[in-house]
Amino acid sequence: FRSGLDDGEVWRQPGARIGYVPQEPPFDPEQSVFQAVVGGISVLTQLNPWVVGLHMVLSIALIVPSATIGFVLGVLTGVARVFGPKWLRSLGNGFTTIFRGVPLVVQLMILYFGLPNLGIYLEPYPASVLGFILCTGAYQSEYVRGALLSIRQGQIKAAYALGFTKLQTILWVVIPQAARRALPGCGNEIIYLIKYSSLAYIITCIELTGEAKVLVSRSFRPTEVYIVAGIYYLVLVSFA
């Protein structure tokens, strides 16, 4: 029986006996936190600042054009949904319904993996930016639409009575007031977009989260690596 054990390892332990199962030490939260901190420091020492900076720049390169173009698209779509002709309103409503209803991950998959079946090939970066622009534009249009509808009709009729055209009324009466009401929602959408950018790695656009995933596969320390990645995103959100 003794020779059948794993090289008699249990017999080398002092006080060992057959059937004895050593008990794990009680859970110590302070010790666990200390180990996590030490592990995080060890992971940080493995990080190449140039590599991390490169992927941080790529994340910013995803966010800035997506936020800028998406905002413009959202404003134009929101105005069209309120003041446009019937066919244009229907088109805007359909666009908003599709890109607000379909998950962003699915949109990115369609753009990168689905469009090649139609003969359209996109690199990871353009596919990611296009997906972010369409998604954030749809949400921005809803904020803009709600702000435009909040303006009282009496002000619009008063502008018409003063001789303003429809375009002048929109530009000089409606939009200045609606902009202040839409600003909080549009600002929040930029923060959401910073976090959306972490999905780009799914279509092989290796930004900050993608690099964190690669580092996890090398260090086998997911907790520490993803905490560090979260800190980077927190810094981006704080500056947004």
Side-chain angles (χ1 to χ4, degrees), residues 107-153:
Q107 297 178 35
L108 294 175
M109 293 286 190
I110 292 173
L111 290 172
Y112 188 67
F113 297 109
L115 290 184
N117 294 327
L118 303 177
I120 303 173
Y121 297 88
L122 296 175
E123 294 295 324
Y125 176 77
S128 301
V129 172
L130 180 59
F132 296 152
I133 287 173
L134 295 175
C135 182
T136 192
Y139 280 98
Q140 297 277 22
S141 72
E142 193 65 22
Y143 300 136
V144 173
R145 175 178 172 271
L148 293 174
L149 291 177
S150 68
I151 306 302
R152 296 180 179 179
Q153 289 296 314

Side-chain angles (χ1 to χ4, degrees), residues 22 26 111 135 164 201 239:
L111 290 172
C135 182
F164 281 53
Y201 85 94
F239 282 102

Side-chain angles (χ1 to χ4, degrees), residues 6-30:
D6 185 16
D7 296 330
E9 190 67 27
V10 69
W11 298 96
R12 300 193 190 100
Q13 300 178 11
R17 60 183 183 276
I18 297 176
Y20 171 74
V21 178
Q23 297 182 353
E24 296 182 357
F27 176 72
D28 186 353
E30 295 183 358

Side-chain angles (χ1 to χ4, degrees), residues 77 80-81 86-97 141:
T77 306
R81 293 175 65 194
K86 184 176 181 180
W87 67 269
L88 191 57
R89 292 200 302 269
S90 300
L91 187 63
N93 290 334
F95 165 79
T96 304
T97 300
S141 72

